[in-house]
Amino acid sequence: MRLATLSQPSITRRVAMLGLLAGAAILGLPGLAAAQDKVINLYSSRHYDTDEALYANFTKETGIKINRLEASEDQLLQRMRAEGDKSPADVLITVDAGRLWRAQEAGLLQPVKSAALEKAIPAHLREPDGHWFGFSKRARIFVVNKTKVKAGELNRYEDLADTKWKGRLLIRSSTNVYNQSLVGAMIATLGPEATETWARHVVANFARAPKGGDTDQIKAVAAGEGDVALSNTYYFARLLGSKKPEDQAIVANLAVIFPNQGDRGTHVNISGAGVARHSPNKANAIKFLEYLASKQAQEYFARGNYEFPVIGGVPLHPVIAAWSEFKEDTLNAAVFGKNNEAALKLMDRAGWK
């Protein structure tokens, strides 16, 4: 866990983080600032160094200081529950609609009405009652060995169940929330019975037992352990944009496929945020969310971590701009967030470990 303010130098933040990890239990951390005129307390599970500029610019533009507490999603939710109505948290920011839904269901977020947010952010990328909003997008795509997978041979998520992919699929564990959200979206689209049948066939096609993250699946395709990996776009984009020879060697024979372009579109998830239920600085918290939906902030998301902006007219990172535009599934993110628990149980029954 990391407790920091943006006014501290980066090295201090890292030392603080190490010290807290080594010597403090989650509930033993000191409290953050109480209500003040020019501050927000941000609970964040985003771990991207490039977000430093995003937050610093908010302080520069508004004069509102950000006190930031960084930890895993589970740690943050546990802390907020334990703090109850004494929680200093103003904003929770995390990745994946499934995690935002868990926070909402736990009663940790409050609904927000903001004309600016409702105008800027497409309806399918925000919770209908304003409990949380998506501020960047990541698509769940196929990364394939282009010498082994022919053009047009793999087009839909449903195709992964075909027996021709037996021993060729590389997908991370069912405990991964990105996979849970994809399956949650399929439950909404295909129904639970058809989705469970699909999941059983997918498991039968695994090249190996699931292990590692999305980058590990991509590397395994490059190493010949399988021919198809399921990954979020930014993992592959990082390798494409890397100047390291070893990373360029990994992507040399790989290509990406955006699934379901002929029907509902590719599954898209979000990184998003909501105002904490007991926010002591609610007005500042809403200003922060509105800032995240601004063109300037959206450029940080797009440039900093190879993510897709949620508003139009924002330049993409050159690496992902080189991909053609794609059709995205417009199923509301709250739907597959709500289906998260059902998706995990379904994957367990299908033998997806």
Side-chain angles (χ1 to χ4, degrees):
M1 178 171 293
R2 182 161 73 186
L3 180 63
T5 71
L6 288 178
S7 60
Q8 295 173 295
S10 179
I11 183 72
T12 303
R13 281 195 297 271
R14 283 161 175 75
V15 171
M17 176 180 66
L18 293 172
L20 289 168
L21 284 169
I26 184 168
L27 300 180
L29 288 172
L32 294 178
Q36 296 177 21
D37 289 338
K38 289 290 186 178
V39 69
I40 62 165
N41 298 317
L42 175 65
Y43 282 29
S44 173
S45 69
R46 280 180 63 96
H47 48 269
Y48 313 122
D49 288 341
T50 51
D51 285 352
E52 299 289 343
L54 174 72
Y55 301 146
N57 186 65
F58 172 72
T59 298
K60 180 181 177 182
E61 293 290 318
T62 65
I64 298 171
K65 178 182 175 183
I66 299 177
N67 296 320
R68 193 163 82 253
L69 180 72
E70 291 190 356
S72 71
E73 295 80 9
D74 290 341
Q75 287 176 317
L76 292 173
L77 298 192
Q78 180 186 343
R79 181 179 173 95
M80 290 173 75
R81 285 191 196 98
E83 290 169 338
D85 60 7
K86 302 295 191 298
S87 177
D90 290 306
V91 173
L92 172 70
I93 185 168
T94 186
V95 295
D96 198 279
R99 289 165 173 156
L100 289 162
W101 180 264
R102 290 174 200 168
Q104 179 184 344
E105 282 294 280
L108 301 176
L109 302 176
Q110 63 174 287
V112 165
K113 292 297 291 182
S114 164
L117 290 171
E118 291 172 12
K119 181 180 179 181
I121 301 173
H124 69 287
L125 301 176
R126 49 185 164 89
E127 197 276 324
D129 293 325
H131 284 88
W132 43 265
F133 302 83
F135 294 107
S136 66
K137 300 184 295 187
R138 51 275 301 276
R140 199 118 183 98
I141 57 169
F142 302 141
V143 178
V144 303
N145 182 327
K146 59 189 178 185
T147 67
K148 302 284 186 67
V149 179
K150 299 174 185 176
E153 191 177 9
L154 182 63
N155 297 306
R156 309 172 76 228
Y157 296 112
E158 289 89 333
D159 294 343
L160 296 178
D162 194 302
T163 54
K164 72 176 164 184
W165 304 110
K166 189 172 182 63
R168 301 172 72 185
L169 302 186
L170 292 153
I171 306 176
R172 66 197 290 179
S173 168
S174 64
T175 60
N176 172 247
V177 73
Y178 305 149
N179 286 338
Q180 293 165 17
S181 288
L182 172 62
V183 173
M186 295 188 74
I187 290 172
T189 303
L190 305 178
E193 215 171 282
T195 302
E196 186 164 339
T197 299
W198 170 83
R200 291 182 186 279
H201 287 298
V202 168
V203 169
N205 289 341
F206 283 174
R208 65 178 187 193
K211 62 179 181 179
D214 282 8
T215 302
D216 296 301
Q217 315 313 312
I218 295 168
K219 290 179 177 179
V221 173
E225 295 180 48
D227 297 330
V228 180
L230 196 61
S231 171
N232 279 355
T233 37
Y234 63 93
Y235 289 102
F236 188 69
R238 285 177 188 167
L239 293 170
L240 272 179
S242 171
K243 292 184 169 36
K244 296 179 181 177
E246 59 267 31
D247 290 339
Q248 289 305 306
I250 289 168
V251 300
N253 290 317
L254 303 183
V256 301
I257 297 171
F258 285 81
N260 295 79
Q261 291 302 285
D263 45 77
R264 64 184 178 274
T266 298
H267 172 69
V268 167
N269 212 316
I270 59 171
S271 182
V275 175
R277 181 179 179 181
H278 302 291
S279 168
N281 303 289
K282 182 178 177 180
N284 292 345
I286 294 174
K287 282 182 185 177
F288 179 68
L289 296 192
E290 291 174 344
Y291 160 76
L292 293 181
S294 69
K295 184 175 180 182
Q296 187 175 32
Q298 289 286 296
E299 288 179 359
Y300 282 112
F301 282 116
R303 290 277 180 171
N305 190 43
Y306 302 96
E307 295 176 273
F308 293 97
V310 297
I311 68 173
V314 176
L316 301 176
H317 191 287
V319 169
I320 61 174
W323 298 335
S324 8
E325 290 186 9
F326 69 97
K327 178 182 179 181
E328 67 182 77
D329 189 350
T330 57
L331 177 71
N332 190 284
V335 173
F336 54 81
K338 184 177 182 179
N339 286 346
N340 182 266
E341 185 177 351
L344 183 55
K345 289 178 179 177
L346 182 154
M347 295 163 87
D348 284 344
R349 292 194 299 271
W352 191 330
K353 303 302 183 185

